Amino acid sequence: MNSPTTPDAERASTGPAASRSARSALLQKGTGPTQAAFRGLYEQTRHYEGYSPAIVWGNLQTRAYATEVLRLVVDLHQIPRDIEAGTAERLTRAKYLGQDGRIYHVLLGEQALLTGIGGPDVMRPQLEHLLDALSVPGLTLGVIPARAPLDVYPGGSFGIFDTKRVEVEGYRGSETILDNRVPLFHRAFDRLCRSAVYGEDARALITAALRST
């Protein structure tokens, strides 16, 4: 689940607790405003590193997959059902892939290929979309095999924006980290990369998941 953000200047002036409160208030308005705020962050970002162990990274989601994910978010948080607006905002983020020299390095857990979002009719096109994404300019897509030895415990989803800002995902929404904890996520990402496979090996894992769906 991708959650709302507030500008750095506002966060600096209001402090972490107020920032979380602002994000929570935005989420209560629905997925449209939330996803619009997150899209703005991606628009500003030139270099991104992210880890998504259990679901497909938002910028690589198909319309049907994103719709199902946001439906689950709406049902859990009991917020306005503006799922179509939220999906449209999320899909818009895909246009930044390969644009204007932006660089993305994304790791998926193998579980992300297997988690049954929406059932087979949603998952098959989503996995086919991931196969196409392996050749997208500016995107490095790795998959961590389920049985791969790890150099760090898995943890939850997170994204590193322009090396200095981290968004950590969870049931309570997204936590923004700008302090001395940022290097911890760089170390975690580097160690997760050691367990990932790329290129044809990643393609083989995605293809196997597709065949079993």
Side-chain angles (χ1 to χ4, degrees):
M1 179 183 67
N2 289 325
S3 298
T5 58
T6 54
D8 290 346
E10 179 183 346
R11 219 174 2 256
S13 64
T14 58
S19 178
R20 286 194 295 270
S21 177
R23 289 196 296 271
S24 178
L26 184 58
L27 180 60
Q28 293 305 310
K29 295 180 180 179
T31 66
T34 300
Q35 293 299 309
F38 214 77
R39 175 178 54 80
L41 175 58
Y42 275 99
E43 184 177 16
Q44 300 167 17
T45 300
R46 311 297 303 179
H47 183 267
Y48 174 88
E49 295 174 319
Y51 168 58
S52 183
I55 66 170
V56 174
W57 177 51
N59 293 31
L60 291 177
Q61 293 176 5
T62 63
R63 180 175 296 277
Y65 188 100
T67 297
E68 287 300 311
V69 169
L70 292 179
R71 181 184 62 78
L72 295 174
V73 171
V74 164
D75 289 347
L76 176 63
H77 289 275
Q78 298 181 332
I79 58 178
R81 298 188 65 84
D82 63 341
I83 297 171
E84 184 175 344
T87 298
E89 288 287 354
R90 176 167 289 191
L91 293 179
T92 299
R93 295 184 343 221
K95 73 179 184 181
Y96 301 123
L97 293 173
Q99 184 187 73
D100 300 329
R102 288 181 174 86
I103 299 297
Y104 296 86
H105 186 171
V106 177
L107 300 177
L108 301 179
E110 186 177 0
Q111 180 59 47
L113 312 178
L114 304 173
T115 302
I117 300 294
D121 289 344
V122 172
M123 288 303 300
R124 289 192 191 101
Q126 177 61 72
L127 293 169
E128 290 169 351
H129 184 60
L130 287 180
L131 290 174
D132 293 338
L134 291 171
S135 59
V136 170
L139 172 65
T140 300
L141 179 60
V143 180
I144 300 176
R147 296 185 181 277
L150 296 177
D151 291 332
V152 63
Y153 60 87
S157 298
F158 65 86
I160 306 173
F161 296 80
D162 286 331
T163 74
K164 58 188 178 182
R165 169 174 174 165
V166 177
E167 295 288 331
V168 181
E169 308 289 352
Y171 282 134
R172 65 177 183 175
S174 176
E175 177 187 3
T176 299
I177 296 175
L178 297 164
D179 55 24
N180 58 8
R181 293 172 293 171
V182 170
L184 173 68
F185 287 89
H186 283 284
R187 291 198 301 274
F189 187 81
D190 289 344
R191 294 179 186 189
L192 288 166
C193 286
R194 299 174 193 170
S195 301
V197 297
Y198 298 87
E200 291 306 309
D201 290 333
R203 182 179 297 278
L205 285 176
I206 298 170
T207 300
L210 178 59
R211 289 173 176 166
S212 66
T213 300

